[in-house]
Amino acid sequence: MNLQFDTTVAHCYNSETQRIRVMSENWVSRNMYCPCCGNLHIEKVENNSPVADLQCDACGEIFELKTTKGTVGNKITDGAYGTMVERITSSTNPDLFVMSYSPNYSILSLTLIPKFFFVPEIIEKRKPLGRQAKRAGWIGCNILYASIPEQAKIQIIQNSHFNPINDVISKYCIIKQLQTKNLDARGWLIDVLNCVNGIKSQQFTLKDVYQYSELLHQKHIHNNNIEAKIRQQLQILRDKGFIEFLERGHYRKII
């Protein structure tokens, strides 16, 4: 499949940011399938939609597309902070496509982040624009990409090669088991999953996860029973097939 942007669709734009937006959205709408249901076509939505850039015409799933030149870093620049937080806490929160491209406008990678892995804590508020700026006082945000668990980063294109569509859809179906509309429950699950990911060995103990108790308390200051909450989240991860219970206090990573 052609991984090159069609530069002709952006010939009327002078801004490089606008050019990239138009070319990347055009490529996705012409070449991408829906990674959630497998429908072979997703469409670009009306310009200036406050929620999404693209939508699957079969399952109705909506997507936002973010692009970056070269390697994706620890943070991804997004729009207005207030709008972003309001969006991810609503029922209209889109899934996120993260695309990286080369200087010659060739796609290097494309990753899907399911919407149910977004919580306010991974949205960083930027400093307000100064008084000399055209939009003085405007507050933007960054998505803390490094804070998203690796399991939630579903690779569609890696090193300029497509992963098999069935593998992508299967990974989405697996990770969807962790979906919850409750933001507090979502935050706890993400945080404990990141703690498990931070343990280098494949097999680990409850004591290994307890070492993150202080960090978790800083994130959840109103919870005074951190270790019990850790055990609860490990049970959820076990029941969903992400970790395996070996014996009392001992586990093994599966996904």
Side-chain angles (χ1 to χ4, degrees), residues 62-104:
I62 56 177
F63 305 90
E64 182 181 13
L65 174 63
K66 289 296 176 184
T67 57
T68 183
K69 188 175 182 179
T71 304
V72 180
N74 292 331
K75 299 179 181 182
I76 299 172
T77 302
D78 208 285
Y81 174 78
T83 302
M84 183 63 172
V85 171
E86 181 180 356
R87 181 195 305 170
I88 66 173
T89 57
S90 74
S91 59
T92 56
N93 185 31
D95 299 290
L96 178 67
F97 281 133
V98 179
M99 176 187 287
S100 67
Y101 62 94
S102 68
N104 68 346

Side-chain angles (χ1 to χ4, degrees), residues 203-218:
Q203 294 189 17
F204 63 96
T205 67
L206 189 57
K207 185 177 180 180
D208 292 329
V209 190
Y210 282 168
Q211 292 181 3
Y212 292 90
S213 294
E214 181 57 33
L215 174 63
L216 291 170
H217 183 64
Q218 291 174 11

